[in-house]
Amino acid sequence: MFRPYIMGVLFILEGDFMYKNYIIKLVKEVVGDKNIVVEIPPKKEMGDYSVPCFSLKDDNNKNPLEISQKIKDKINDIDQVFSKIDIMGPYVNFYLNYDKASNIIKEILEKGQKYGSLNQGHNDALLIEHTSINPNAEPHMGRCRNSLIGDFLANLYEFVGYKVERHYFINDLGKKIALLIIGVEKYGLKTNSFNDILDVYVKISNEAKTDETIEQKAFDYLELVESGNQEMIDKFKDITDKCVAGQMKIFDELEIHFDVFTHESDYVYNNYLTNILNKIDEKGKLKIDENGRYYVDLSDYNIPTKDPVLVLTRSNKTSLYPIKDIAYTMHKMDLNSNNNYIVLGEDQEVYMKQIAATLDILGYKAPQLISYSYVLLDGDKMSTSNGTLVLVTDFIKALREKIKQEFDNRNLECNETTLKILTNACIKYTMLNVSRNKIVNFNFDNATSFIGESAIYILYSIVRINSILRNNQYQNIEIKLTDKLEYQIIKDLLEFPSLINDLLVTNESVLLTKYIFNLTQKFSSYYEKINITNITDEQIKYSKLMLLAANKWSKYFRYQNNRANVRSYYDV
């Protein structure tokens, strides 16, 4: 495939990046070392790439129209990468030579799952924390958006060459865990199942609403833990580990996995929290309120709260969750201060500003926050505060039934393996197909549709491609394409590496879901238009088959690790 050289160095960029950099090289040969911007024109008839000339003025050429004409007249596309270079006012438009550009098909087939990655990570370590729900709670769909975004980003970072660690923080010291232990002591457990543990928690927490002695006993247990009572420490860790094991089974259903689990209690038994309080005090920012609680003074920071404080302890000096979050975050930053991310709901943005400000006082940077909005189920908000929760397990069961019904209505078979793949795909595609700062309104009919913007529609296109490729063999020949729709697909395939780079900048999964849907639409039109089986010209037939194979690979985006082959939302 054509590869441009600049200053004698071979460009190892792929696809869209390669052509944009080649254009920059050509234009700089005419106008000198200026900042060249390469855009995608809004209309196909304007070409494949465009260079605006407004910022390319100098003492000799101040009129953008004259500059664009000068570039057109003097540009030297010696490799004939472009079929035409034209001007439209102050824009220079470049039209790809698709006879050459179509060689991207061979590159995709050679690289397979690696196509699109430019190894931006350079094998550097990257840490991302997501999900981290309370052990006494079953995951619900509102929080599940956190898990899906975090898992998507972890897969993305690994795809581009980072060594990714997925971290999960276990709150094993809060009042809720103390209540859970009291409940287990009082009622016992029929089994060690997660459901039995949750039932006991609900029972004891309801009792605590009318019996103040239960809550006081919970605080007494917390004091025992923080004073180093080993028997109580073991009780707390034992019950939380059983809860987390139950939670992980649920996430296993969605093929979401974690690498590192850290307990809050790890920072209590070794004076870690005391040292943090002492360091804040040394900075003159540790205060005590009228209730005897320690807090950090954040008045030097512009944080939109009623009072510029962050309370760190109870009046009995046992720790509240903010100081344990601070300790954990310091630990994470010690592990990786360069590439460190945390995924949280938008309702936690102010709290994270408080944490970041406290970290700044302590001389630490904060992780990069990736936030998201909430989830609706046909208009009903799913959140922890108002009790309108839809549990992940119930949601999966309901969606499975809906998909099965859709297949039954069409007299189609759907075995258990396929049903699980489709259920996960519908959840992940629908949840990821929305910008992070926008609300997800999950509609079962739309999510399970066989047509339109849905996972099933996309996966069905892969099934059709696989069917064609099984029934038709091809050889690696010189590519010869003849249809304008094929050129449009080639252009989309060229843009994939650039798209991956945009994902790294924005952390927006919706860029990828929209890209795949648009590519699938083009394939569907192509499928209806072209009957490959009846083509007699072998070069044309093999070229079309290779294009289909490349189209399929562009929809694959998975990574390997030592645990499992984890699929993303569009991989079957």
Side-chain angles (χ1 to χ4, degrees):
M1 182 177 179
F2 150 77
R3 291 292 193 188
Y5 284 79
I6 296 181
M7 297 178 64
V9 179
L10 174 66
F11 259 93
I12 57 171
L13 301 175
E14 293 179 345
D16 205 42
F17 276 122
M18 183 180 65
Y19 289 101
K20 287 180 178 178
N21 277 275
Y22 182 60
I23 290 171
I24 291 172
K25 169 187 176 292
L26 293 180
V27 174
K28 281 188 174 184
E29 288 175 352
V30 177
V31 300
D33 189 19
K34 292 185 171 59
N35 182 31
I36 312 298
V37 176
V38 182
E39 300 176 346
I40 304 297
K43 297 180 180 179
K44 295 174 184 176
E45 57 267 25
M46 294 179 178
D48 297 291
Y49 303 99
S50 181
V51 173
C53 298
F54 303 101
S55 62
L56 303 182
K57 295 182 291 185
D58 55 32
D59 293 338
N60 297 322
N61 296 281
K62 297 184 178 181
N63 188 335
L65 298 176
E66 294 176 357
I67 296 172
S68 63
Q69 185 65 54
K70 176 183 176 181
I71 292 172
K72 180 195 173 185
D73 292 343
K74 294 190 175 183
I75 205 162
N76 183 22
D77 178 22
I78 191 172
D79 293 308
Q80 296 182 325
V81 173
F82 301 103
S83 61
K84 182 171 70 170
I85 300 174
D86 209 348
I87 59 173
M88 186 173 291
Y91 291 87
V92 183
N93 297 330
F94 297 80
Y95 299 75
L96 278 175
N97 178 348
Y98 278 97
D99 288 339
K100 289 197 172 187
S102 60
N103 282 311
I104 192 65
I105 295 173
K106 293 184 178 181
E107 185 168 348
I108 294 171
L109 295 178
E110 288 172 4
K111 294 193 172 183
Q113 299 173 46
K114 294 182 180 180
Y115 175 69
S117 171
L118 303 180
N119 193 34
Q120 291 94 329
H122 302 292
N123 209 34
D124 291 343
L126 184 146
L127 187 157
I128 181 167
E129 181 204 348
H130 64 86
T131 307
S132 298
I133 61 178
N134 286 327
N136 61 294
E138 182 175 344
H140 62 80
M141 287 307 297
R143 179 58 68 89
C144 190
R145 189 177 188 190
N146 183 310
S147 309
L148 296 171
I149 291 172
D151 187 59
F152 168 83
L153 292 174
N155 293 348
L156 169 68
Y157 300 146
E158 202 150 44
F159 175 69
V160 298
Y162 285 101
K163 293 187 296 185
V164 177
E165 275 193 349
R166 301 155 180 80
H167 283 238
Y168 193 98
F169 191 39
I170 302 172
N171 173 10
D172 62 336
L173 281 186
K175 185 180 77 172
K176 293 178 180 179
I177 304 303
L179 285 173
L180 178 55
I181 291 172
I182 294 169
V184 172
E185 290 175 341
K186 184 172 183 179
Y187 298 110
L189 292 172
K190 296 177 183 178
T191 68
N192 281 325
S193 72
F194 189 36
N195 286 337
D196 281 348
I197 294 172
L198 294 177
D199 289 343
V200 168
Y201 174 75
V202 170
K203 195 171 184 179
I204 196 67
S205 61
N206 285 334
E207 281 190 38
K209 293 175 183 177
T210 56
D211 186 348
E212 294 181 358
T213 63
I214 294 176
E215 184 172 89
Q216 183 55 52
K217 189 175 183 179
F219 288 131
D220 292 342
Y221 278 14
L222 288 173
E223 283 197 63
L224 285 173
V225 168
E226 297 207 15
S227 65
N229 183 289
Q230 192 60 50
E231 180 183 357
M232 193 57 65
I233 290 170
D234 292 341
K235 283 186 177 183
F236 271 65
K237 277 203 169 183
D238 179 65
I239 196 67
T240 52
D241 286 346
K242 289 176 181 177
C243 291
V244 172
Q247 292 172 340
M248 291 304 110
K249 287 182 180 179
I250 295 171
F251 288 119
D252 283 346
E253 286 294 306
L254 294 170
E255 295 183 328
I256 295 173
H257 307 280
F258 299 88
D259 302 305
V260 179
F261 295 84
T262 307
H263 294 80
E264 273 191 346
S265 56
D266 293 341
Y267 305 103
V268 173
Y269 316 132
N270 55 7
N271 295 320
Y272 205 103
L273 302 186
T274 302
N275 291 337
I276 290 174
L277 291 174
N278 291 338
K279 288 178 181 178
I280 297 173
D281 191 29
E282 290 172 5
K283 300 291 185 179
K285 295 298 181 180
L286 186 67
K287 311 293 181 182
I288 189 166
D289 66 13
E290 65 276 9
N291 297 315
R293 303 178 304 174
Y294 283 126
Y295 69 89
V296 57
D297 176 11
L298 300 178
S299 57
D300 292 339
Y301 297 86
N302 184 23
I303 301 174
T305 56
K306 182 179 179 181
D307 298 307
V309 303
L310 181 62
V311 180
L312 302 177
T313 71
R314 300 180 180 89
S315 56
N316 65 0
K317 304 304 183 290
T318 55
S319 59
L320 291 171
Y321 66 87
I323 191 170
K324 288 174 282 191
D325 283 345
I326 291 166
Y328 175 51
T329 305
M330 290 169 63
H331 172 68
K332 288 193 299 178
M333 296 307 294
D334 285 338
L335 291 174
N336 190 326
S337 60
N338 295 320
N339 303 304
N340 201 309
Y341 298 84
I342 183 169
V343 182
L344 290 172
E346 63 183 10
D347 57 329
Q348 297 292 306
E349 289 179 355
V350 172
Y351 173 67
M352 275 306 296
K353 288 181 179 179
Q354 293 175 304
I355 296 295
T358 307
L359 290 170
D360 184 60
I361 291 170
L362 292 164
Y364 277 80
K365 294 192 302 181
Q368 181 176 329
L369 173 63
I370 301 171
S371 62
Y372 61 92
S373 189
Y374 53 87
V375 180
L376 303 177
L377 180 57
D378 281 340
D380 293 326
K381 184 177 179 181
M382 292 178 259
S383 69
T384 305
S385 58
N386 62 12
T388 56
L389 300 180
V390 179
L391 300 178
V392 171
T393 51
D394 294 336
F395 191 88
I396 289 174
K397 289 176 184 176
L399 191 59
R400 281 169 62 92
E401 288 303 311
K402 173 66 175 175
I403 294 170
K404 193 172 183 302
Q405 180 185 352
E406 291 294 327
F407 272 75
D408 289 342
N409 292 342
R410 292 168 171 79
N411 294 317
L412 298 173
E413 292 185 7
C414 186
N415 60 38
E416 282 300 311
T417 300
T418 301
L419 188 56
K420 180 179 179 179
I421 291 172
L422 293 179
T423 301
N424 283 353
C426 289
I427 291 173
K428 294 184 178 186
Y429 184 84
T430 304
M431 297 282 274
L432 293 170
N433 193 33
V434 180
S435 296
R436 287 184 290 105
N437 63 349
K438 293 185 179 179
I439 299 167
V440 173
N441 190 0
F442 202 107
N443 179 283
F444 272 42
D445 290 333
N446 294 338
T448 60
S449 174
F450 277 58
I451 58 175
E453 203 164 351
S454 72
I456 294 178
Y457 171 70
I458 291 168
L459 292 175
Y460 182 56
S461 76
I462 296 178
V463 172
R464 295 166 94 180
I465 291 173
N466 285 337
S467 176
I468 294 171
L469 294 177
R470 276 195 304 270
N471 295 321
N472 295 274
Q473 301 297 316
Y474 65 82
Q475 297 176 9
N476 191 351
I477 47 83
E478 182 179 348
I479 303 293
K480 181 180 180 181
L481 300 178
T482 58
D483 190 270
K484 288 185 178 179
L485 187 54
E486 293 170 336
Y487 297 157
Q488 293 176 27
I489 293 173
I490 290 292
K491 186 61 165 46
D492 284 352
L493 297 178
L494 285 169
E495 290 174 0
F496 187 63
S498 182
L499 170 80
I500 294 297
N501 204 59
D502 290 342
L503 287 172
L504 294 172
V505 173
T506 64
N507 295 311
E508 284 285 5
S509 59
V510 67
L511 299 179
L512 184 57
T513 57
K514 298 294 184 186
Y515 169 87
I516 293 172
F517 173 66
N518 291 332
L519 186 59
T520 302
Q521 282 186 308
K522 289 185 176 72
F523 162 74
S524 296
S525 299
Y526 186 64
Y527 180 86
E528 298 298 332
K529 183 177 182 180
I530 306 296
N531 188 337
I532 291 178
T533 304
N534 294 335
I535 297 175
T536 57
D537 186 312
E538 284 192 344
Q539 184 181 15
I540 294 177
K541 182 175 183 177
Y542 292 165
S543 296
K544 294 181 188 302
L545 289 170
M546 291 171 70
L547 176 62
L548 292 183
N551 183 55
K552 181 182 76 169
W553 277 119
S554 73
K555 296 175 185 176
Y556 283 143
F557 185 23
R558 51 189 169 181
Y559 73 97
Q560 295 280 348
N561 59 30
N562 59 4
R563 296 179 310 244
N565 181 16
V566 182
R567 297 184 178 101
S568 73
Y569 59 90
Y570 53 103
D571 181 8
V572 293

